[in-house]
Amino acid sequence: MNVFTDISTIYLHRDFVDFRKAINGLVVIVEQEMQLSPFSDALFIFCNKPRDKLKILYWDKTGFALWYKRLDEDRFKWPRNINNDTLALSEHQLTLLLQGFDVLGHQPVHYQISL
């Protein structure tokens, strides 16, 4: 299922975000820190400081939606060595990020499943 339809751009917010922030707090970050319109056809990706959670904010023409993902065993490979506060990603890079890969270096996340 592809929940992100009609998305023209994917933006990653480089700095870590306090995950007590909900939709309104993330909209403020998009407007003030990223200097972008939260009403555009874009996804805005945020990560918490421990790098085990992601939030993806988007406007779906009827309201804001917030998608949340938590890793149980590892950390997201979050780009740190970029100069801008915002990084534009391709759909392929978003898929890699959600699968646990480093979007800039393609290093996989390694899980050990214990039964």
Side-chain angles (χ1 to χ4, degrees):
M1 178 175 93
N2 186 2
V3 297
F4 307 125
T5 58
D6 299 324
I7 300 300
S8 63
T9 313
I10 302 164
Y11 294 107
L12 181 143
H13 183 262
R14 184 195 62 192
D15 294 333
F16 299 119
V17 172
D18 180 351
F19 262 38
R20 293 176 288 184
K21 290 187 186 304
I23 289 173
N24 292 343
L26 296 175
V27 166
V28 169
I29 291 173
V30 170
E31 290 178 328
Q32 294 181 359
E33 291 182 28
M34 299 173 80
Q35 298 180 346
L36 297 167
S37 171
F39 300 101
S40 63
D41 294 330
L43 297 180
F44 302 95
I45 307 171
F46 305 92
C47 190
N48 67 338
K49 191 170 186 175
R51 297 186 346 259
D52 63 341
K53 297 176 185 83
L54 286 183
K55 285 187 178 180
I56 299 177
L57 176 74
Y58 60 102
W59 174 256
D60 73 358
K61 309 282 189 281
T62 62
F64 285 104
L66 189 62
W67 194 82
Y68 182 90
K69 181 168 182 170
R70 181 188 75 198
L71 293 178
D72 288 328
E73 297 284 329
D74 207 343
R75 309 240 182 268
F76 286 104
K77 307 303 186 239
W78 204 249
R80 294 183 190 184
N81 298 328
I82 58 174
N83 295 330
N84 299 332
D85 291 334
T86 305
L87 175 67
L89 300 180
S90 67
E91 287 184 39
H92 179 69
Q93 286 175 311
L94 173 61
T95 300
L96 289 173
L97 178 67
L98 294 176
Q99 291 175 348
F101 286 86
D102 179 345
V103 295
L104 300 179
H106 306 299
Q107 299 170 5
V109 169
H110 299 285
Y111 288 105
Q112 261 188 309
I113 305 213
S114 56
L115 301 174

